[in-house]
Amino acid sequence: MKTDFTDSQRADPFIARNEDILKSCVHCGMCTATCPSYQILGDELDSPRGRIYMIKSLMEEGRAPDENFVRHIDQCLSCLACTTTCPSGVDYMHLIDDARAHIEENYKRPFMDRYLRKVLAMIIPYPKRFRLAMMGAGLARPFRFLFGGRIRAMLELAPKQLPKQLPIDKPQTHSPKGERKKRVAILAGCAQSVLDPEIHRATISVLTKLGVEVVHPKGAGCCGALVHHMGRVNDAHDAAMVNINAWLELEKIAPLDAIIINTSGCGTTIKDYGHMIETDEARRVSELAKDISEFLIDIFPQTDAPEKLKIAYHSACSLQHGQKIKETPKELLKRAGFEVVEPFESHLCCGSAGTYNMLQPEISTKLGARKASNIERLKPDAIAAGNIGCMTQIGAYSRVPIAHTIQFLDWALGGEKPS
């Protein structure tokens, strides 16, 4: 794509960072075939190609973001299916992240939109606050019919009952069963520890059974993905630095073989810390970051499943598109003795996308129902996924039981049956 910037415009960091990305787009339109927002809305400006063109025009004309520009950028899920499809290797992820940061800095949203985003950023990344909010939402859930739009969408997603907190979420070291073969840190996270602490329990159970020492470091927390995708750059960098410092402190004690992440949306962001922060320390953390499936593929044994279940595997966008990990989780489930099937349109987002299902409920609802329908056609006994957001979203639209991939693997090694 031809760009037309003056030398003075190129002095703008926003333009300097993104001109090469704009030039790499050849406007072929292959991205439209896999873009979920374009599939639902059918508007060229709600495709990656259309958004790239809008960003380019905004830069060239030196305009501030307006309502139309913001609407189409907001309707992007950042699922990154376009990056898997793109034959030119356009770095859409960093372009759209930069566009969101530009909006946050240069556009004043309507009061309610501004207020809601601030509330989400102040609550979800903090487990204690989020737990209290979920308890309140659970009480209000029976009255959700009194509300509309975003408020109703949030109440629909709230669990009827929160699971109990588990002691494994506290900073500590989990010793391996038998000889220590590897040493890893684990991402503490935020929302997942409230919504489904069993995922952490199962992760630690599997790793320690396979001779891995697991360290839950003091001080680490939210990865920063949620605020990063809302364009709140400083908040995202602050969260990243807290984790970087906590994890590298562990390396001073003894080398780490990996930083284990069992929420794929977080994994995509942590693997990008080196780009976000641009320090040797941040790059070291990005190198160490591994999705739990990525780490287990070399050490998980062949075993017999406790029950011969047909499992529909949902490939989270952040895993298959963001981290380019698609076959590994399926291979692990097969190695554990389960029959694995994958639904039609497996490349298409379920509509969760961080806070998207709360901020864009109409589009999200259509995608969630579409995903659930495609899964249920397979008549599976259960669904496996590698991201808590996807599990919550699909669980709202499907009657089929859903659990994290690691919970099935733990079960196969003699652990608890996924609840």
Side-chain angles (χ1 to χ4, degrees):
M1 185 184 292
K2 183 179 180 297
T3 59
D4 187 20
F5 297 118
T6 64
D7 289 341
S8 61
Q9 283 180 311
R10 289 189 177 97
D12 181 341
F14 181 40
I15 294 173
R17 285 192 301 268
N18 293 297
E19 185 177 10
D20 286 344
I21 299 176
L22 295 172
K23 285 180 176 179
S24 65
C25 177
V26 298
H27 230 60
C28 67
M30 289 184 69
C31 56
T32 61
T34 56
C35 173
S37 57
Y38 181 76
Q39 295 298 310
I40 295 296
L41 300 169
D43 187 332
E44 170 70 13
L45 296 180
D46 283 307
S47 72
R49 178 173 67 177
R51 292 186 181 106
I52 289 170
Y53 185 80
M54 288 183 72
I55 293 168
K56 171 181 173 291
S57 297
L58 185 90
M59 290 178 172
E60 287 178 341
E61 295 168 18
R63 291 183 288 108
D66 58 19
E67 183 184 352
N68 184 59
F69 178 87
V70 171
R71 182 176 72 256
H72 291 296
I73 297 298
D74 283 352
Q75 286 173 176
C76 172
L77 294 103
S78 283
C79 69
L80 305 180
C82 55
T83 62
T84 298
T85 311
C86 180
S88 304
V90 176
D91 185 5
Y92 182 80
M93 180 176 82
H94 291 128
L95 179 66
I96 199 71
D97 283 345
D98 229 4
R100 290 194 167 112
H102 189 70
I103 289 169
E104 186 69 13
E105 187 176 343
N106 296 283
Y107 178 75
K108 189 170 184 179
R109 294 177 179 276
F111 173 76
M112 283 306 297
D113 190 21
R114 198 164 68 244
Y115 176 75
L116 178 58
R117 287 168 178 271
K118 186 174 182 178
V119 167
L120 292 174
M122 289 176 63
I123 291 177
I124 298 178
Y126 305 93
K128 289 181 180 177
R129 299 179 197 175
F130 185 53
R131 188 172 186 84
L132 286 171
M134 287 297 95
M135 289 169 66
L139 293 173
R141 195 174 188 275
F143 307 101
R144 60 193 181 279
F145 64 90
L146 297 172
F147 302 92
R150 293 171 168 180
I151 302 299
R152 181 167 184 166
M154 284 189 260
L155 294 177
E156 291 278 5
L157 290 167
K160 296 176 183 177
Q161 185 176 358
L162 280 177
K164 292 181 180 179
Q165 290 179 284
L166 299 178
I168 54 142
D169 280 332
K170 296 178 180 178
Q172 60 190 292
T173 296
H174 302 271
S175 300
K177 307 291 191 291
E179 179 190 357
R180 187 179 85 174
K181 299 174 183 176
K182 292 180 183 291
R183 179 176 184 262
V184 302
I186 190 169
L187 172 69
C190 50
Q192 178 177 274
S193 64
V194 174
L195 295 173
D196 197 344
E198 286 291 324
I199 295 171
H200 261 359
R201 185 207 56 74
T203 302
I204 293 165
S205 173
V206 169
L207 289 170
T208 53
K209 283 172 186 170
L210 298 177
V212 181
E213 180 182 85
V214 183
V215 186
H216 190 146
K218 185 177 181 180
C222 175
C223 69
L226 183 141
V227 286
H228 180 61
H229 294 307
M230 293 171 75
R232 301 172 71 98
V233 174
N234 291 337
D235 291 346
H237 286 196
D238 288 347
M241 286 306 304
V242 167
N243 286 329
I244 290 167
N245 292 333
W247 289 326
L248 293 186
E249 278 297 311
L250 295 180
E251 277 225 298
K252 292 178 182 178
I253 300 169
L256 289 173
D257 293 291
I259 296 166
I260 299 298
I261 300 136
N262 53 20
T263 304
S264 62
C266 302
T268 302
T269 295
I270 294 168
K271 288 182 177 183
D272 200 44
Y273 276 1
H275 177 90
M276 289 167 59
I277 309 294
E278 295 185 308
T279 64
D280 289 342
E281 292 80 8
R283 283 186 280 271
R284 173 60 181 159
V285 165
S286 292
E287 289 169 3
L288 284 169
K290 299 284 183 186
D291 181 74
I292 182 61
S293 65
E294 190 178 14
F295 183 79
L296 287 178
I297 195 64
D298 294 326
I299 61 174
F300 194 85
Q302 188 79 38
T303 187
D304 291 324
E307 292 181 23
K308 295 298 181 183
L309 298 184
K310 180 180 181 181
I311 296 178
Y313 173 68
H314 164 70
S315 191
C317 296
S318 45
L319 203 53
Q320 65 169 317
H321 304 308
Q323 299 180 55
K324 309 304 180 190
I325 299 171
K326 187 172 182 181
E327 299 302 320
T328 304
K330 291 185 287 185
E331 170 59 31
L332 287 168
L333 288 167
K334 291 174 185 175
R335 205 181 287 181
F338 298 106
E339 179 189 354
V340 181
V341 292
E342 194 166 9
F344 174 65
E345 294 186 326
S346 61
H347 65 278
L348 206 63
C349 185
C350 68
S352 173
T355 58
Y356 192 92
N357 52 5
M358 292 176 274
L359 295 174
Q360 302 287 337
E362 291 185 13
I363 303 170
S364 175
T365 295
K366 291 176 181 177
L367 288 169
R370 182 167 173 168
K371 178 65 68 175
S373 175
N374 283 332
I375 289 172
E376 290 184 350
R377 286 178 194 171
L378 300 171
K379 295 181 168 44
D381 299 303
I383 305 167
N387 189 58
I388 186 64
C390 302
M391 291 167 61
T392 303
Q393 175 79 347
I394 295 170
Y397 296 96
S398 175
R399 293 160 295 185
V400 181
I402 186 165
H404 195 287
T405 304
I406 194 66
Q407 291 174 280
F408 288 104
L409 301 181
D410 182 44
W411 186 27
L413 291 181
E416 295 179 20
K417 183 176 182 177
S419 57

